[in-house]
């Protein structure tokens, strides 16, 4: 099973992915962003296209990489990745489904103000690349093509993970961290995913 977590940058995809990973036995987080960073290292500067998703090879590597893992791993694969271009969605999420793989796609939603607050909390200013993409993401992702829409407004990461598990038909373990230490857990996940 593949659980694809879509949503605007800063909505909480990575935090939710690692919450699910910590509570679903035999699960794995597949991060397509790593493929993008790899491409940035091996593609000459004059061939780069800005957003790595605009490289057709990124979409092909993401789809075929996930297909390979899904066909060789008997567990749940969790994919935190923003996809807002309909054609890119077709070439990744929908393509995976066409191979007969079980894919649950969730678009995490929250208000613009909430996402900006979450971005600021992780160190992204109002003029950061992620913040500048927000309106485009919110507009595109509201389309029915990107359903199932899951509102995260006012919900903790644990609750969002439990809702995803429910809709995907998964039983998940209770939270692994005591409530008093959960902010520390989120900080650890955030630090591990700082991009330099």
């Amino acid at each position: 099973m593949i659980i694809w977590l879509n949503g605007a940058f800063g909505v909480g995809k990575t935090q939710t992915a690692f919450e699910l990973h910590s509570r679903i036995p035999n699960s794995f987080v597949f991060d397509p962003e790593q493929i993008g960073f790899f491409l940035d290292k091996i593609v000459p500067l004059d061939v780069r296209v800005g957003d790595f998703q605009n490289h057709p090879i990124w979409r092909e590597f993401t789809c075929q990489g996930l297909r390979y893992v899904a066909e060789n791993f008997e567990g749940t694969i969790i994919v935190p990745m923003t996809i807002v271009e309909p054609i890119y969605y077709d070439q990744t999420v929908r393509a995976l489904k066409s191979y007969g793989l079980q894919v649950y796609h969730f678009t995490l939603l929250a208000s613009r103000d909430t996402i900006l607050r979450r971005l600021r909390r992780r160190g992204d200013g109002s003029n950061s690349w992620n913040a500048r993409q927000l309106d485009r993401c919110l507009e595109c992702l509201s389309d029915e093509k990107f359903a199932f829409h899951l509102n995260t407004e006012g919900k903790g990461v644990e609750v969002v993970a439990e809702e995803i598990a429910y809709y995907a038909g998964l039983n998940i373990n209770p939270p692994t961290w005591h409530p008093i230490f959960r902010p520390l857990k989120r900080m650890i996940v955030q630090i591990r995913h700082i991009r330099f």
Side-chain angles (χ1 to χ4, degrees):
M1 176 190 296
I2 297 171
I3 298 176
W4 191 298
L5 303 180
N6 202 348
F9 304 101
V11 77
K13 298 178 302 296
T14 299
Q15 292 289 347
T16 303
F18 281 91
E19 179 67 21
L20 284 165
H21 176 54
S22 72
R23 296 174 64 182
I24 300 172
N26 199 32
S27 63
F28 175 75
V29 177
F30 183 103
D31 186 357
E33 198 170 42
Q34 297 299 327
I35 297 170
F37 296 147
F38 169 72
L39 285 173
D40 280 347
K41 290 180 180 176
I42 66 165
V43 171
L45 197 55
D46 57 344
V47 177
R48 292 186 195 163
V49 291
D51 185 345
F52 57 71
Q53 288 190 11
N54 295 331
H55 284 290
I57 194 77
W58 176 84
R59 300 185 302 272
E60 182 69 18
F61 280 176
T62 296
C63 182
Q64 293 306 320
L66 273 164
R67 182 182 179 193
Y68 176 80
V69 173
E71 290 174 350
N72 292 281
F73 175 66
E74 293 186 16
T76 303
I77 304 161
I78 306 157
V79 185
M81 190 72 227
T82 300
I83 297 278
V84 298
E85 295 294 332
I87 189 75
Y88 297 177
Y89 175 88
D90 291 341
Q91 294 170 346
T92 54
V93 178
R94 188 164 283 170
L96 290 165
K97 292 178 181 181
S98 75
Y99 289 121
L101 299 174
Q102 185 179 26
V103 182
Y104 288 91
H105 174 270
F106 296 92
T107 297
L108 307 185
L109 300 175
S111 71
R112 187 178 194 281
D113 289 342
T114 295
I115 295 173
L116 284 172
R117 187 172 62 250
R118 291 174 183 174
L119 284 170
R120 281 193 300 272
R121 199 176 328 152
R122 72 181 203 186
D124 285 317
S126 58
N127 200 33
S128 67
W129 187 88
N130 291 330
R132 291 195 314 269
Q133 306 308 308
L134 181 54
D135 291 329
R136 176 178 71 101
C137 288
L138 291 175
E139 181 181 345
C140 293
L141 292 172
S142 66
D143 190 279
E144 275 306 302
K145 182 177 195 91
F146 297 100
F148 185 102
H149 293 116
L150 185 62
N151 188 355
T152 67
E153 195 74 38
K155 298 175 185 173
V157 173
E158 296 80 16
V159 172
V160 174
E162 288 161 7
E163 288 184 15
I164 289 167
Y166 170 80
Y167 290 117
L170 289 169
N171 292 317
I172 62 174
N173 294 328
T176 55
W177 290 54
H178 188 278
I180 202 165
F181 295 115
R182 288 179 193 160
L184 175 62
K185 177 186 178 185
R186 286 190 285 277
M187 187 183 304
I188 291 168
V189 170
Q190 181 177 337
I191 289 169
R192 285 183 180 163
H193 290 86
I194 292 174
R195 309 304 186 197
F196 298 103

